[in-house]
Amino acid sequence: MKLTFKPPFRFKLTVIPPQEPLYRYYFTILNNTISTPTIKTNKPPNKWERLLVDFDQNHQARPPNQLSKRWLEYHGIKNWEGLLDPLDEGLRGEIIRYGSFVEAAYQSFNFDPSSSTYGACRYRKSKMLEWSGVVGCGYRVTKNLFATSSIPLPRWLEKMPRWMQVQSSWIGYVAVCEDENEISRLGRRDIVVALRGTATCLEWLENLRATLTHCNVNNKSDVKQELMVEIGVLSLYTSGTTTCPSLQHSLQKEVLRLLKMYGDDQPLSLTITGHSLGASLAILAAYDINTTIKHSPHLSVISFGGPRVGNPSFRQHLEKQGIKILRIVNSDDLITKVPGFFVEDHDGKSHKQNDRVTYITEWIKMLVKDSRWVYANIGHELRLSSRDSLQLNSINIATCHDLKTYLHLVNGFVSSTCPFRAGARKMLKKASTISSLK
């Protein structure tokens, strides 16, 4: 195998402070064109080699205005058909871009339990995205969002540290794209809702409330009682206090305000994105907004590492509503496999490998039919695996669930039949070395 390098070569050295979020490295990779070697060999490349070469060539020759023409496809108008395996480069950029908004929510949250502002946002709205690392994105934060736990606090907890008593905490924000150049690149004006994962003590306790309850998010008479969602997630979404409105109320009010302000201006989209607990809340928020706000814009959800949030009836109702949900899943992430029982595939069909498995599956379904522990996976999946990456030093629960790991895996994924990008290049290098020795 002979490697031929075609000049000119362009290299860009970007120095990023250690405290900067990891996704800044990914933006450097995605936003800069790097000359790649062409591979010449006497025999045709096998499938995974061909995919790797095609990936690099498409990445280099990608027209800059593709996003403006295909944004509806990237946001699920065709249910991401033909875009996930192999992963389309334009969709890859969109997923990482929305992941950066979630990372900004983590960067902006005050995790310091000794601080008097623990549980609040560290930055003011005008500087939040800039100071959390999302520089030059063209978006402006318009609303801070808070989640409140409905778990009653016992009296003995009053003697515990303040960080254990925080009932309402900052969980994310709403931002709108206002830069004309970015609007032109995106092909529409975009409203983004970004939600972080579990952080406070009461949020962890809400996660333990994993049984299903009736989805009484709104009072629509046509909503069937069979729709059920996790009680802890529903609590964080609908609960409020006299001084802090619920996440549901704040989000509905802000989305309505922005729709009135920009609805007749130009094409508009609403994208809700979140990680872990934020992924569950994103699905609940999408369902709520779609059923309560008339003439809502194109609505899509991009979730990272989300646990299960509702039963099969809830999933089917979301599909009938036309809500587009892309669920980024790490196969090695335990959180994506909980809570509750799971006895159905995405399409609702039972596993039928053989008669015995079919019998056991049907028996389990009958046993838990009326149980409040039967969950369903919601949305179209982009399934990744930490084991495919050669850059992860360890595979444990925390690492596999980390948002940075998800962004790293998205950046490196090629297809289900092709190795991870970094691994594929290493294999190509090794193969060329062996070939030269022969």
Side-chain angles (χ1 to χ4, degrees), residues 2 13 16 32 50 143 265 277 292 348 375 383 425:
K2 181 180 178 181
L13 178 62
I16 303 177
N32 296 284
R50 188 166 59 251
K143 184 72 174 180
D265 185 13
L277 170 63
T292 56
Y375 280 80
R383 186 163 287 275
R425 291 198 179 93

Side-chain angles (χ1 to χ4, degrees), residues 305-436:
R308 299 170 189 146
V309 67
N311 68 347
S313 296
F314 182 65
R315 181 196 66 203
Q316 293 166 9
H317 188 75
L318 290 175
E319 292 173 350
K320 290 180 180 179
Q321 283 186 318
I323 298 175
K324 305 302 180 181
I325 300 171
L326 180 59
R327 186 172 183 247
I328 319 298
V329 177
N330 181 356
S331 297
D332 303 304
D333 182 4
L334 180 63
I335 302 301
T336 62
K337 300 176 174 64
V338 296
F341 298 106
F342 174 67
V343 293
E344 287 186 322
D345 286 325
H346 173 76
D347 59 3
K349 297 180 181 179
S350 301
H351 292 282
K352 294 187 178 181
Q353 292 92 338
N354 53 57
D355 293 340
R356 183 176 181 180
V357 172
T358 302
Y359 173 78
I360 294 175
T361 302
E362 294 299 325
W363 178 78
I364 294 175
K365 290 176 67 175
M366 292 179 60
L367 184 66
V368 299
K369 181 178 179 181
D370 299 323
S371 171
R372 298 197 173 192
W373 286 95
V374 182
Y375 280 80
N377 289 335
I378 298 175
H380 296 265
E381 286 189 357
L382 172 59
R383 186 163 287 275
L384 313 169
S385 175
S386 295
R387 300 180 188 277
D388 291 335
S389 173
L390 301 179
Q391 300 179 22
L392 295 177
N393 297 324
S394 62
I395 298 179
N396 53 54
I397 294 178
T399 302
C400 291
H401 187 59
D402 197 318
L403 177 60
K404 294 181 177 65
T405 299
Y406 272 85
L407 296 181
H408 166 69
L409 295 177
V410 171
N411 183 57
F413 179 76
V414 179
S415 77
S416 59
T417 58
C418 177
F420 198 76
R421 275 169 52 193
R425 291 198 179 93
K426 186 173 182 179
M427 291 174 69
L428 281 175
K429 183 177 180 181
K430 182 178 180 180
S432 64
T433 304
I434 295 174
S435 178
S436 63

Side-chain angles (χ1 to χ4, degrees), residues 1 27 59 96 119 127 131 136 163 167 173 186 207 219 241-242 261 269 275 297 299 322-323 328 356 369 422 426:
M1 181 180 293
F27 280 145
H59 172 60
I96 293 178
K127 295 293 183 179
W131 289 354
W163 63 270
Q167 195 167 9
Y173 58 91
L186 298 177
N207 288 339
N219 297 320
T241 65
T242 54
M261 182 179 298
S269 67
H275 172 249
L299 175 59
I323 298 175
I328 319 298
R356 183 176 181 180
K369 181 178 179 181
K426 186 173 182 179

Side-chain angles (χ1 to χ4, degrees), residues 110 115 168 307 382 411:
N110 184 1
S115 172
S168 298
L382 172 59
N411 183 57

Side-chain angles (χ1 to χ4, degrees), residues 137-403:
C137 64
Y139 286 71
R140 178 179 65 87
V141 176
T142 63
K143 184 72 174 180
N144 285 314
L145 300 174
F146 295 81
T148 301
S149 170
S150 63
I151 297 178
L153 298 177
R155 289 186 177 181
W156 59 264
L157 197 59
E158 297 176 359
K159 299 181 181 180
M160 302 300 289
R162 182 186 177 279
W163 63 270
M164 296 185 65
Q165 305 178 40
V166 174
Q167 195 167 9
S168 298
S169 57
W170 185 87
I171 200 165
Y173 58 91
V174 181
V176 61
C177 185
E178 293 187 338
D179 181 82
E180 293 300 326
N181 292 330
E182 184 68 2
I183 291 173
S184 177
R185 188 184 76 85
L186 298 177
R188 84 283 186 192
R189 186 187 298 276
D190 183 44
I191 300 171
V192 62
V193 179
L195 303 169
R196 61 162 176 79
T198 309
T200 68
C201 180
L202 287 180
E203 287 171 2
W204 282 109
L205 292 178
E206 289 284 15
N207 288 339
L208 297 177
R209 302 171 68 190
T211 55
L212 290 163
T213 186
H214 295 295
C215 184
N216 57 349
V217 171
N218 49 59
N219 297 320
K220 292 287 184 179
S221 58
D222 59 340
V223 176
K224 298 181 179 180
Q225 291 298 315
E226 291 85 2
L227 306 186
M228 304 185 78
V229 295
E230 184 185 348
I231 187 171
V233 176
L234 184 65
S235 168
L236 289 169
Y237 185 69
T238 58
S239 300
T241 65
T242 54
T243 58
C244 182
S246 68
L247 175 59
Q248 177 187 23
H249 180 268
S250 299
L251 193 53
Q252 285 185 0
K253 185 177 180 181
E254 182 63 13
V255 170
L256 279 172
R257 187 184 72 84
L258 293 176
L259 289 180
K260 291 179 181 179
M261 182 179 298
Y262 299 111
D264 300 327
D265 185 13
Q266 52 201 157
L268 192 66
S269 67
L270 174 60
T271 309
I272 309 177
T273 182
H275 172 249
S276 192
L277 170 63
S280 298
L281 290 170
I283 293 176
L284 205 57
Y287 161 77
D288 182 33
I289 290 173
N290 192 73
T291 54
T292 56
I293 298 180
K294 294 182 179 180
H295 310 296
S296 60
H298 180 81
L299 175 59
S300 59
V301 175
I302 298 179
S303 72
F304 300 87
R308 299 170 189 146
V309 67
N311 68 347
S313 296
F314 182 65
R315 181 196 66 203
Q316 293 166 9
H317 188 75
L318 290 175
E319 292 173 350
K320 290 180 180 179
Q321 283 186 318
I323 298 175
K324 305 302 180 181
I325 300 171
L326 180 59
R327 186 172 183 247
I328 319 298
V329 177
N330 181 356
S331 297
D332 303 304
D333 182 4
L334 180 63
I335 302 301
T336 62
K337 300 176 174 64
V338 296
F341 298 106
F342 174 67
V343 293
E344 287 186 322
D345 286 325
H346 173 76
D347 59 3
K349 297 180 181 179
S350 301
H351 292 282
K352 294 187 178 181
Q353 292 92 338
N354 53 57
D355 293 340
R356 183 176 181 180
V357 172
T358 302
Y359 173 78
I360 294 175
T361 302
E362 294 299 325
W363 178 78
I364 294 175
K365 290 176 67 175
M366 292 179 60
L367 184 66
V368 299
K369 181 178 179 181
D370 299 323
S371 171
R372 298 197 173 192
W373 286 95
V374 182
Y375 280 80
N377 289 335
I378 298 175
H380 296 265
E381 286 189 357
L382 172 59
R383 186 163 287 275
L384 313 169
S385 175
S386 295
R387 300 180 188 277
D388 291 335
S389 173
L390 301 179
Q391 300 179 22
L392 295 177
N393 297 324
S394 62
I395 298 179
N396 53 54
I397 294 178
T399 302
C400 291
H401 187 59
D402 197 318
L403 177 60

